[in-house]
């Protein structure tokens, strides 16, 4: 792997929407259910983001991410069902355990909120090339340097994974034990991470110099090689999304 | 660590900026090695702490934020919200380094405790908001369940859940970062500090 | 036409105790091919970096004297401004890849975007330099997929696209396999033929001997000599500076074959020329 990305080519409607609009949607899908902290709002956003996952034809690829969180969600259902502080109404019993309605409802709310976040993010990451998102942000006025940091991380991490193998082999060849008792394994950590750190810090020096001689600190107005086709609906969508956020904040203040 | 200039400068040198992706990479490698060695710790913020020690709290905080944003957008979306914790770790480590709290092992250990405490204080409300107070760690969550059964306030139960996980992890992370920092060549360390002036010969 | 003037250049690194460069002066004319030689730690890299302004602006430290490129004093200017007058290529091909671009084509664009070059001009320059460095067919590759030699040529292409008058190379082939080195030297030769001023620090003496018009000999941060390869390698004390002269020079020395000016030949062609003169 050369590049850290979950993006997959496709021609769904969501692939055609510009990255900034999708990013705005993610932010709003996370924030609005927090600002208006009701189960209905969480459910509404959960339904929207789940529908969008299907529109993006990304359901299958979202499953592994969801199942990862589902394990924790199951323990949440158990713990809250049994011990939630406002528990009052027994719902069912399982052997010696009494599960309460309030706790189960609360845990369901948590599950809906978590799955909402996952689905909203999935819509973005499965339909957007990270490089397009970053470039769009830079064109919107985000500092090109921050843009550089993000896009380089996506390539540096796969690079470092290959360094990990090299170091592991080299240190094992020198007799470092990476298996066996806990103390042995713990002692192996520094000889492994040390060279990786030194290696990556030394590269930062050379890379910083290479960047500087390629105009990284130039004060000129940056131009772009890639032209992103202007989408005439994206402005409307973005305004609508921001309106939802503003409206929810006002709602929250009024109904306080 | 000895940047006598203000530690809150937002004008970064290229070397400081390039340190951010490296820090995220180091975080990642730490986590990978901890997994390979089957250590019961995450060890996934060594890069953030080192970046703070080398280039100050702002670069440390940016490293932490970048780390979670990238992880959130490529693996686990929920880790996006824990960017706040990573930022807090970066800021705290950077301030402690600036104030000379990484001068020896004892101070580094105390710094580790402080960083663990700050990380826990930031994570706990997030855990409550998003997970009803849990961390997803078996040991921590068992304690959480026990305290909930005993009708402890949610914040305390959740705090205990988090600190059980964070305390050993962050203290050891900080000590490892300190050990690595001490072994770095001085010439390398000096490129991340920007208190140098060009002297005339 | 003089392209580069270095006057009484002195430099000490922030944590250095000694001067890394001590009172260096020389001039380079347009289109010249200059080699910098000297043992490890003699200051070759420091001098290369001083020519583009990274010394002192990247490291800070203590600096004196002047480096003038097209009458611009590099220490007083931004490194990014200098980059359209003089470019530099370093040793390690990996660390020169910006890491933020996904294709060879975009990688070359990086510097041009930063300098605000208009898009049409950018595309023209990218294609020109990729063709010049024989990388055009790889334009859609990820930079990290290239071989070491190709990566190093990409680094050169990226710098060339910024249209500098002078190209500085600091041991550009020291981390490459023989084939990669050969590719890079071939590319450098092509650039020299196109009239580019080349300044290269290099341990590979045979290469320097056959390409360089003039050689700078450094020792402990001081400029010992600045002259033609024949004169430099004919110096009686050359080995005291940690330099082993090219094999042809050594053979000629043992056979006492000299050219008209009284110096030992440094390349096979020169040896051949002298021998033909003697034996017909
Ligand atoms: N960042 C630095 N800080 C302090 N001293 C340095 C630094 N970099 C190099 N030096 C010192 O400056 C002197 C010149 O180093 P330089 O790297 O220019 O030598 P070089 O001729 O390029 O050597 P090599 O053949 O090994 O590449 C050496 O004594 C070196 O130790
Ligand atoms: Mg060198």
């Amino acid at each position: 792997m050369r590049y850290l990305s979950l993006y997959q080519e496709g021609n769904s409607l969501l692939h055609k929407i510009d990255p900034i609009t999708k990013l705005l949607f993610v932010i709003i899908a996370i924030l609005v259910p927090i600002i208006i902290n009701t189960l209905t709002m969480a459910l509404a956003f959960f339904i929207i983001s789940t529908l969008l996952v299907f529109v993006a034809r990304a359901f299958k690829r979202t499953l592994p991410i969801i199942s990862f969180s589902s394990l924790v969600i199951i323990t949440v259902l158990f713990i809250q069902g049994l011990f939630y502080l406002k528990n009052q109404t027994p719902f069912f019993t399982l052997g010696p355990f009494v599960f309460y309605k309030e706790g189960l409802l609360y845990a369901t709310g948590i599950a809906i909120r978590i799955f909402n976040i996952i689905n909203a993010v999935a819509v973005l990451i499965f339909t957007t090339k990270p490089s397009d998102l970053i470039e769009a942000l830079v064109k919107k006025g985000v500092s090109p340097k921050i843009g550089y940091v993000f896009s380089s991380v996506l390539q540096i991490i796969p690079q470092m994974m290959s360094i990990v193998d090299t170091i592991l082999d080299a240190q094992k060849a020198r007799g470092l034990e990476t298996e066996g008792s806990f103390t042995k394994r713990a002692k192996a950590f520094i000889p492994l991470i040390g060279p990786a750190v030194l290696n990556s810090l030394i590269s930062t020096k050379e890379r910083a110099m290479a960047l500087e001689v390629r105009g990284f600190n130039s004060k000129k107005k940056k131009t772009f090689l890639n032209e992103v086709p202007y989408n005439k609906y994206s402005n409307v969508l973005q305004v609508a999304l921001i309106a939802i956020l503003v409206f929810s904040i006002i709602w929250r203040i009024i109904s306080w | 660590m000895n940047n006598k200039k203000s530690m809150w400068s937002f004008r970064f040198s290229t070397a400081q900026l390039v340190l951010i992706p490296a820090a995220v990479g180091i975080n990642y490698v730490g986590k990978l090695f901890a997994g390979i060695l089957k250590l019961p710790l995450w060890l996934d913020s060594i890069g953030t702490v080192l970046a703070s020690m080398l280039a100050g709290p702002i670069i440390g905080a940016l490293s932490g934020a970048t780390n979670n944003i990238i992880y959130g957008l490529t693996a686990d979306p929920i880790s996006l919200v824990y960017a706040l914790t990573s930022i807090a770790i970066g800021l705290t480590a950077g301030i402690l380094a600036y104030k000379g709290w990484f001068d020896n092992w004892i101070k580094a250990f105390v710094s580790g405790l402080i960083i663990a405490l700050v990380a826990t204080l930031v994570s706990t409300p997030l855990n409550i908001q998003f997970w009803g107070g849990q961390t997803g760690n078996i040991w921590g969550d068992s304690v959480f369940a026990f305290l909930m059964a005993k009708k402890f306030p949610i914040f305390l139960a959740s705090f205990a859940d988090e600190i059980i996980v964070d305390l050993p992890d962050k203290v050891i992370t900080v000590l490892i970062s300190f050990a690595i920092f001490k072994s770095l060549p001085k010439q390398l360390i000096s490129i991340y500090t920007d208190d140098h002036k060009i002297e005339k010969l | 036409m003089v392209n580069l003037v270095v006057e009484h250049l002195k430099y000490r690194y922030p944590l250095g105790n000694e001067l890394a460069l001590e009172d260096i002066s020389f001039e380079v004319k347009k289109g010249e091919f200059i080699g910098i030689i000297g043992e490890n730690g003699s200051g070759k890299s420091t001098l290369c970096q001083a020519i583009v302004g990274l010394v002192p602006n990247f490291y800070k430290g203590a600096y004196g004297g002047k480096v003038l490129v097209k009458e611009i004093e590099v220490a007083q200017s931004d490194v990014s401004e200098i980059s359209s007058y003089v470019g530099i290529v370093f040793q390690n091909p990996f660390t020169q890849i910006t890491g933020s671009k996904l294709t060879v084509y975009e990688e070359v664009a990086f510097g041009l975007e930063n300098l605000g070059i208009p898009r049409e001009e950018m595309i023209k320059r990218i294609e020109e330099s990729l063709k010049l460095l024989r990388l055009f067919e790889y334009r859609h590759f990820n930079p990290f997929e290239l071989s070491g030699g190709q990566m190093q040529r990409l680094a050169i292409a990226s710098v060339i696209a910024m249209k500098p008058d002078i190209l500085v190379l600091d041991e550009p082939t020291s981390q490459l396999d023989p084939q990669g080195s050969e590719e890079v030297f071939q590319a450098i030769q092509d650039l020299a033929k196109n009239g580019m001023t080349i300044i290269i620090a290099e341990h590979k003496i045979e290469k320097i001997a056959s390409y360089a018009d003039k050689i700078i000999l450094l020792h402990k941060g001081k400029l010992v000599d600045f002259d033609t390869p024949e004169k430099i390698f004919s110096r009686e004390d050359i080995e005291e500076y940690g330099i082993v002269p090219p094999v042809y020079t050594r053979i000629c020395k043992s056979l006492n074959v000299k050219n008209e000016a009284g110096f030992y030949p440094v390349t096979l062609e020169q040896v051949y020329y002298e021998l033909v003169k003697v034996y017909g």
Side-chain angles (χ1 to χ4, degrees), chain C residues 190-243:
Chain C
D190 291 347
L191 290 170
K193 280 195 198 118
N194 277 357
M196 172 78 73
T197 311
I198 307 270
I199 301 175
I200 179 171
E202 189 51 76
H203 277 295
K204 291 176 182 140
I205 282 301
E206 318 287 337
K207 293 288 182 193
I208 289 292
S210 55
Y211 299 148
D213 299 315
K214 286 171 101 182
I215 292 179
I216 292 172
L217 172 60
L218 289 182
H219 187 66
K220 296 196 168 141
K222 292 198 196 78
L223 188 147
V224 177
D225 205 348
F226 179 40
D227 220 319
T228 61
E230 295 80 29
K231 282 195 191 167
I232 296 274
F233 293 128
S234 296
R235 284 178 70 110
E236 285 307 318
D237 60 352
I238 186 75
E239 308 219 352
E240 284 169 31
Y241 301 109
I243 303 292

Side-chain angles (χ1 to χ4, degrees), chain A residues 152-173:
Chain A
S152 64
V153 171
L154 295 169
Q155 291 209 83
I156 279 174
I157 288 181
Q159 292 294 317
M160 293 205 53
M161 292 208 291
S162 54
I163 292 175
V164 162
D165 290 332
T166 318
I167 294 174
L168 206 57
D169 291 342
Q171 295 291 50
K172 274 184 184 167

Side-chain angles (χ1 to χ4, degrees), chain A residues 6 34 65 75-76 79-80 83 106 110 114 117 125 145 150 152 160 182 185 192-193 201 204-205 212 216-217, chain B residues 14 17 19-22 25 29-30 33 37-38 40 43 70 73-74 77 130-132 134 149 176 191-192:
Chain A
L6 296 177
I34 297 176
I65 309 180
T75 70
V76 174
I79 294 178
Q80 302 292 353
F83 308 124
Y106 177 64
I110 287 170
I114 291 285
I117 294 176
I125 60 186
K145 296 190 173 176
F150 278 100
S152 64
M160 293 205 53
F182 173 73
R185 284 179 285 130
L192 290 176
I193 189 110
L201 291 184
T204 64
K205 177 193 149 185
E212 288 203 0
F216 193 59
N217 290 328
Chain B
T14 312
L17 213 66
L19 183 58
I20 299 171
V29 170
F33 279 133
L37 295 173
K38 303 192 187 70
L43 302 182
I70 294 293
L73 294 182
T74 55
F130 291 96
W131 293 105
Q134 288 179 227
I176 290 172
I191 68 165
Y192 305 109

Side-chain angles (χ1 to χ4, degrees), chain A residues 4-6 26 30 33-34 37 65 68-69 72-73 75-76 79-80 83-85 106 110 113-114 117-118 121-122 124-125 133 145-146 148-150 152-154 156-157 160-161 164 167-168 177-179 182 185-186 188-190 192-194 196-198 200-205 207-209 211-212 216-217, chain B residues 12-15 17-22 24-26 28-34 36-40 43 46 50 54 62 65-66 69-78 80-81 128-136 141-142 144-146 148-149 151-154 175-176 179-180 183-185 188 191-192:
Chain A
L4 214 56
S5 161
L6 296 177
V26 171
I30 295 178
I34 297 176
N37 206 355
I65 309 180
F68 178 72
S69 295
V72 187
I73 290 291
T75 70
V76 174
I79 294 178
Q80 302 292 353
F83 308 124
Y84 183 51
L85 287 176
Y106 177 64
I110 287 170
R113 287 184 170 89
I114 291 285
I117 294 176
I118 293 176
V121 174
L124 172 71
I125 60 186
L133 173 60
K145 296 190 173 176
I146 297 295
Y148 171 81
V149 166
F150 278 100
S152 64
V153 171
L154 295 169
I156 279 174
I157 288 181
M160 293 205 53
M161 292 208 291
V164 162
I167 294 174
L168 206 57
E177 293 186 55
T178 59
E179 273 151 69
F182 173 73
R185 284 179 285 130
F189 189 78
I190 293 249
L192 290 176
I193 189 110
V197 172
L198 194 63
S200 61
L201 291 184
I202 288 173
S203 334
T204 64
K205 177 193 149 185
R207 182 158 283 132
M209 293 203 290
L211 290 175
E212 288 203 0
F216 193 59
N217 290 328
Chain B
F12 312 123
S13 70
T14 312
L17 213 66
V18 178
L19 183 58
I20 299 171
V24 176
I26 294 168
Y28 194 88
V29 170
K31 187 187 172 113
L32 218 56
F33 279 133
I36 290 171
L37 295 173
K38 303 192 187 70
L39 301 179
L43 302 182
I46 295 174
L50 269 173
L54 287 166
L62 284 173
T66 308
I69 292 172
I70 294 293
Y71 197 67
L73 294 182
T74 55
D76 171 23
I78 306 299
L80 282 174
V81 295
I128 295 172
Q129 168 69 38
F130 291 96
W131 293 105
Q134 288 179 227
T135 56
D141 283 353
S142 311
F144 177 78
F146 175 79
M148 288 292 278
K151 305 269 178 235
F152 271 78
I154 176 105
L175 291 177
I176 290 172
I180 295 173
S183 73
L184 293 175
L188 186 59
I191 68 165
Y192 305 109

Side-chain angles (χ1 to χ4, degrees), chain C residues 84-137:
Chain C
S84 16
Y85 301 104
V86 38
I88 185 167
V89 173
F90 303 95
Q91 282 180 288
N92 186 339
F94 272 94
T95 54
Q96 292 176 81
I97 304 291
T98 61
S100 69
K101 298 291 186 181
L102 293 179
T103 64
V104 164
Y105 201 93
E106 293 172 300
E107 176 72 15
V108 180
F110 183 87
L112 305 176
E113 292 180 325
N114 288 336
L115 294 187
I117 307 290
R119 189 165 174 274
E120 281 74 52
E121 167 77 9
M122 200 188 299
I123 290 171
K124 203 178 118 231
R125 289 202 199 177
I126 295 170
E127 304 203 340
E128 258 174 31
S129 32
L130 283 179
K131 283 176 187 153
L132 197 57
L133 274 298
R134 299 171 208 225
L135 284 170
F136 194 67
E137 57 189 296

Side-chain angles (χ1 to χ4, degrees), chain C residues 5-192:
Chain C
V5 179
V6 176
E7 270 174 21
H8 304 294
L9 176 65
K10 297 178 211 63
Y11 180 66
R12 191 176 61 231
Y13 282 100
L15 298 170
N17 303 320
E18 290 163 38
L19 288 176
L21 295 175
E22 206 174 329
D23 203 21
I24 308 266
S25 301
F26 64 94
E27 282 185 8
V28 177
K29 294 194 192 68
K30 190 167 166 45
E32 275 187 320
F33 196 123
I34 307 291
I36 303 177
I37 61 172
E39 60 187 359
N40 290 333
S42 58
K44 300 184 296 296
S45 299
T46 313
L47 180 57
C48 287
Q49 290 169 21
I51 295 172
V52 298
L54 286 168
V55 162
N57 288 324
F58 181 81
Y59 296 93
K60 313 301 182 210
Y63 185 89
K66 268 185 205 159
V67 174
L68 295 163
V69 175
K70 279 203 162 176
E71 271 134 58
I72 298 167
E73 212 179 320
V74 298
Q76 310 296 329
S77 327
D78 258 12
V79 175
S80 22
E81 246 171 84
I82 295 300
S83 56
S84 16
Y85 301 104
V86 38
I88 185 167
V89 173
F90 303 95
Q91 282 180 288
N92 186 339
F94 272 94
T95 54
Q96 292 176 81
I97 304 291
T98 61
S100 69
K101 298 291 186 181
L102 293 179
T103 64
V104 164
Y105 201 93
E106 293 172 300
E107 176 72 15
V108 180
F110 183 87
L112 305 176
E113 292 180 325
N114 288 336
L115 294 187
I117 307 290
R119 189 165 174 274
E120 281 74 52
E121 167 77 9
M122 200 188 299
I123 290 171
K124 203 178 118 231
R125 289 202 199 177
I126 295 170
E127 304 203 340
E128 258 174 31
S129 32
L130 283 179
K131 283 176 187 153
L132 197 57
L133 274 298
R134 299 171 208 225
L135 284 170
F136 194 67
E137 57 189 296
Y138 299 101
R139 63 192 178 280
H140 300 305
F141 278 50
N142 183 304
F144 288 108
E145 273 167 7
L146 301 178
S147 71
Q150 292 168 338
M151 248 186 223
Q152 196 62 301
R153 282 187 286 144
L154 175 56
I156 299 175
S158 308
V159 167
I160 292 302
M162 299 170 84
K163 294 245 185 266
D165 299 307
I166 306 175
L167 179 63
V168 180
L169 303 114
D170 185 3
E171 294 191 48
T173 65
S174 64
Q175 302 193 4
L176 303 181
D177 58 18
Q179 194 204 330
S181 299
E182 212 37 61
E183 287 170 22
V184 169
F185 275 117
Q186 190 56 50
I188 297 170
Q189 241 184 322
D190 291 347
L191 290 170

